Amino acid sequence: MRKRMMAVLAAAALAAAACAAEQSGGTASGAASGVTDTSIKIGGVLTKTSASGYSTKDAEIGAKARFERANAAGGVHGRKIEFVGAEDDTQDAAKGDAAAKKLVQKDGVFALVPVHAPNFGGAAFLEQQGVPWFGWATGPQWCGTTTGFGYNGCLAPKAGAGSQTWWGRQMADLLGGAQGKKVWVQTSDSSGSKYGGKTISQSFEAAGFSLVGVDSSLPAAAPPPDWLPHVNKIMATRPDVVVSVIAGTKFNAGLYAGLKKAGYQGVLTDATSYDANILKDPAQAQAFEGVIAAPMFEPFESTAPEIEQLRKDVEAVAPGTQLTQHLAIGYWAADIFLKVADQAGKDLTREKFLSVANGTFSYENAGFGRIAYPKDHDEPNGCGALVKISGGAFQVAKNMKCFDNVPLKP
């Protein structure tokens, strides 16, 4: 009898505790999903460190800056964003999976923002658990999901799905037309680089350029000891534009320096050279002089009000911080998350959040262009800008603009 009475008292105590938790800011289930009456818990996964030196750590500053502005304005329907920071996957898929599980199962986050890791391994877990995640959708693990939201859509569409034309069309506008102009696309032998070469080649063809070569002979692990064979192959086709789809400043610096030494007079362009660090080294600055970078967001040198706001937000949380591509990606990923959360309303659950995001959600912003889900789970948003490196500084060559996609050829 005594044991039975103690069990009843224990059950009553647990019920009272649950009631108190609900009254003070959340239920047990609410806390488990990272939502209380006063907060939404968010964490991210980045490649902060890696053996190659590649790092997306600045995305954490960008996300924090946007979340802090939201909190200063009262939060989302009265809930402040509790940003616990980002885990480091060290560019290891298994560590990315472990980081996602830690954030969800141990830290109890509502969503992962930002996710900016080329080899992110937590996609399957997050999809299975119904946990939203926002970031840069550079790999196929983002595409075709219901929970992964690329700030600029899916950049690895399947054959038949929409594929971007903005890069080729922006370059055609910059050069006064593509008629009669030839383009060479250089990639490394990595699967990601080769896939990018495929989509970017079609972008330039859609804009009217003549494709004279797509080469994937460069090793992905390290720059070649001798650039001359690669340079000679390019020079033989006399292209007006050389597009580099290679991840790494050292690769591009070597390729560009080799081409210039060989007398190349055409246009050099890539997606990664919008990085102030490359201008700090005189040799690199010379190699990149005249290069056209192609960021998928409005450049920091822009006079657009949205970019001025970004600069103010970053200065408020991290004074003197150098603005980088990774920072912008974290900022815009957080911005889109906040937009969805606002539309999801006061009674916030993951189920409702995903229902709103995957309904007919659309959002336009001069900072990143436009986004529409669920369409952009399967194709890119079709938007981008161009920046020219001139005199050791960045200049806006073409402001952010969006173009229609075309079906990706097999």
Side-chain angles (χ1 to χ4, degrees), residues 256-269:
Y256 298 159
L259 284 167
K260 289 180 178 181
K261 185 176 180 180
Y264 181 70
Q265 297 294 313
V267 178
L268 302 169
T269 183

Side-chain angles (χ1 to χ4, degrees), residues 157-377:
K158 294 181 180 179
S163 184
Q164 64 91 357
T165 65
W166 74 263
W167 195 345
R169 294 188 188 282
Q170 285 277 57
M171 286 295 297
D173 288 348
L174 182 68
L175 300 178
Q179 186 67 34
K181 293 185 175 67
K182 299 182 292 184
V183 62
W184 174 280
V185 177
Q186 183 66 56
T187 87
S188 72
D189 62 7
S190 75
S191 58
S193 183
K194 287 190 284 189
Y195 187 90
K198 178 180 178 180
T199 60
I200 292 164
S201 296
Q202 292 188 28
S203 175
F204 277 79
E205 286 183 304
F209 289 91
S210 173
L211 185 67
V212 294
V214 181
D215 181 68
S216 303
S217 63
L218 279 175
D226 183 7
W227 280 99
L228 192 57
H230 303 282
V231 168
N232 287 342
K233 192 185 297 185
I234 295 171
M235 293 294 288
T237 67
R238 298 182 179 181
D240 299 282
V241 180
V242 173
V243 185
S244 174
V245 192
I246 313 169
T249 298
K250 290 181 179 179
F251 278 92
N252 286 329
L255 175 63
Y256 298 159
L259 284 167
K260 289 180 178 181
K261 185 176 180 180
Y264 181 70
Q265 297 294 313
V267 178
L268 302 169
T269 183
D270 64 63
T272 60
S273 292
Y274 188 35
D275 178 359
N277 288 318
I278 69 172
L279 303 180
K280 295 178 180 179
D281 180 280
Q284 282 190 353
Q286 184 176 1
F288 283 91
E289 179 68 18
V291 169
I292 305 294
M296 286 172 273
F297 54 87
E298 180 71 351
F300 303 124
E301 292 75 18
S302 169
T303 58
E306 292 83 357
I307 302 306
E308 177 61 26
Q309 184 66 64
L310 179 152
R311 290 193 290 263
K312 288 180 179 178
D313 293 345
V314 172
E315 187 66 19
V317 301
T321 294
Q322 178 176 284
L323 301 178
T324 67
Q325 174 174 257
H326 303 307
L327 183 150
I329 290 165
Y331 184 92
W332 294 121
D335 184 70
I336 297 171
F337 168 83
L338 290 167
K339 189 74 171 180
V340 177
D342 179 64
Q343 291 191 15
K346 180 69 175 177
D347 299 324
L348 183 63
T349 64
R350 284 181 184 146
E351 292 76 13
K352 186 174 181 184
F353 182 96
L354 292 172
S355 176
V356 168
N358 292 318
T360 55
F361 177 84
S362 64
Y363 176 32
E364 292 190 18
N365 186 304
F368 63 86
R370 65 190 179 192
I371 198 73
Y373 306 118
K375 179 178 71 72
D376 290 341
H377 282 306

Side-chain angles (χ1 to χ4, degrees), residues 42-49 55-69 81-89 103 112-117 134-135 313-314 317-318 321-322 324-335:
I42 303 295
V45 177
L46 307 175
T47 297
K48 293 184 176 181
T49 60
S55 173
T56 66
K57 62 182 177 62
D58 292 350
E60 186 168 6
I61 298 173
K64 182 179 179 182
R66 185 62 187 90
F67 287 145
E68 285 301 306
R69 174 157 67 91
I81 301 298
E82 182 187 346
F83 185 49
V84 300
E87 300 288 320
D88 182 9
D89 80 341
L103 286 167
L112 270 64
V113 188
V115 175
H116 187 7
F134 287 70
D313 293 345
V314 172
V317 301
T321 294
Q322 178 176 284
T324 67
Q325 174 174 257
H326 303 307
L327 183 150
I329 290 165
Y331 184 92
W332 294 121
D335 184 70

Side-chain angles (χ1 to χ4, degrees), residues 66-115:
R66 185 62 187 90
F67 287 145
E68 285 301 306
R69 174 157 67 91
N71 287 344
V76 183
H77 296 288
R79 295 185 176 98
K80 299 292 183 72
I81 301 298
E82 182 187 346
F83 185 49
V84 300
E87 300 288 320
D88 182 9
D89 80 341
T90 71
Q91 212 165 359
D92 182 304
K95 289 184 179 179
D97 182 48
K101 289 174 178 174
K102 173 185 177 293
L103 286 167
V104 174
Q105 296 173 339
K106 183 179 178 182
D107 298 336
V109 301
F110 174 79
L112 270 64
V113 188
V115 175

